[in-house]
Amino acid sequence: WRGGGLYLDSGGSSSLHACRIESNSAKQGGGGVYSFGNNTRITHCLIARNRSADFGGGLNLNTNCRAYIDACVIVGNIAERLFGSAVYFREDKSTLNFCTVSDNSGVAVDFINSSAVVENSIIWGNDLVDIRQSGAAMPLLRYCVASTREGDHWPGENNATYDPRFVDAANGDYHLSVLSPCINSGDPEYLYDPNLTDMDGSARELFGRVDIGAHESTAGPWVDSEPDGLPDAWELRYWQDLSYNGVDDADSDGLTN
């Protein structure tokens, strides 16, 4: 009925690490995982192709849930009523950090009176809407690639809407390509911890600053394929194409790009 893969009840604590939560279904909430008032920790997991006939195709984090979701890829999930096909946050205080949320149906992430915090994450390339919010409480998003219904970047510190340039999303590869503007674009104040790794187990902050998303790039942010004196990731982040160079002054401020 709820929690096709896992049902986590109130008053307890649960931890899932390096799991594949795939192809589950529920008639009501949480095709993959339903967490009700539970202190839930989900890290380095693939949450894919789960289905709910109601709310939360991948994850349903509900009523006083304090989930911590880190370095997870959440893709290809379905909520038939279009409420939070990837993640459904409701009246919770959860955290989603360093995650990639893409190719989910309908509304991918729903915040219903939620005080969730989302950081260093990609919520992009979903079916209808990447994010929707309702209710008095507001989620906090920082250093995320995430858009509103109108296609604008989601309000918050250093959020953006650019194409993250996955290696091959059509075939399930959500690593960042060498052209990705997400490389070295995460929170610059992130405190390095050797015990915290990306989904593949690689260290975070390989090149002086963390990336956005579940996978840390091993290529570095300095690829300049033209070459024109500007790293490709810089051009794609600020202008969405590779037509600029290191000599021009695109914003006419007296300084070169």
Side-chain angles (χ1 to χ4, degrees), residues 131-249:
I131 297 176
R132 180 171 59 186
Q133 182 276 333
S134 62
M138 285 291 292
L140 172 66
L141 276 74
R142 302 174 63 252
Y143 293 92
C144 290
V145 176
S147 63
T148 65
R149 182 190 298 269
E150 293 75 25
D152 300 321
H153 69 77
W154 192 264
E157 183 181 358
N158 286 91
N159 295 324
T161 60
Y162 46 65
D163 184 341
R165 303 274 178 147
F166 298 125
V167 169
D168 188 4
N171 290 300
D173 190 345
Y174 294 91
H175 288 82
L176 303 178
S177 76
V178 295
L179 298 178
S180 177
C182 294
I183 298 172
N184 268 34
S185 294
D187 185 356
E189 296 183 1
Y190 169 81
L191 297 177
Y192 176 73
D193 182 344
N195 296 314
L196 294 179
T197 60
D198 75 352
M199 188 176 181
D200 297 327
S202 299
R204 288 288 180 188
E205 197 175 334
L206 292 177
F207 300 98
R209 182 171 172 178
V210 294
D211 298 345
I212 297 175
H215 302 287
E216 195 79 10
S217 172
T218 60
W222 304 289
V223 173
D224 182 11
S225 60
E226 288 94 347
D228 58 10
L230 276 182
D232 292 352
W234 182 275
E235 293 178 74
L236 292 168
R237 179 178 182 184
Y238 290 103
W239 300 295
Q240 288 75 57
D241 64 53
L242 298 176
S243 63
Y244 293 82
N245 60 57
V247 178
D248 293 336
D249 178 10

Side-chain angles (χ1 to χ4, degrees), residues 15 25 28 43 51 59 81 125 128:
S15 181
S25 63
Q28 200 173 61
T43 57
R51 178 186 291 268
L59 301 174
R81 289 186 62 185
L128 294 180

Side-chain angles (χ1 to χ4, degrees), residues 20 52 64-65 69 73-74 86 88 115 171 185 204 212 220 224 229:
R20 299 176 69 96
S52 170
N64 298 320
C65 175
I69 317 297
V73 173
I74 307 173
Y88 180 75
S115 300
N171 290 300
S185 294
R204 288 288 180 188
I212 297 175
D224 182 11

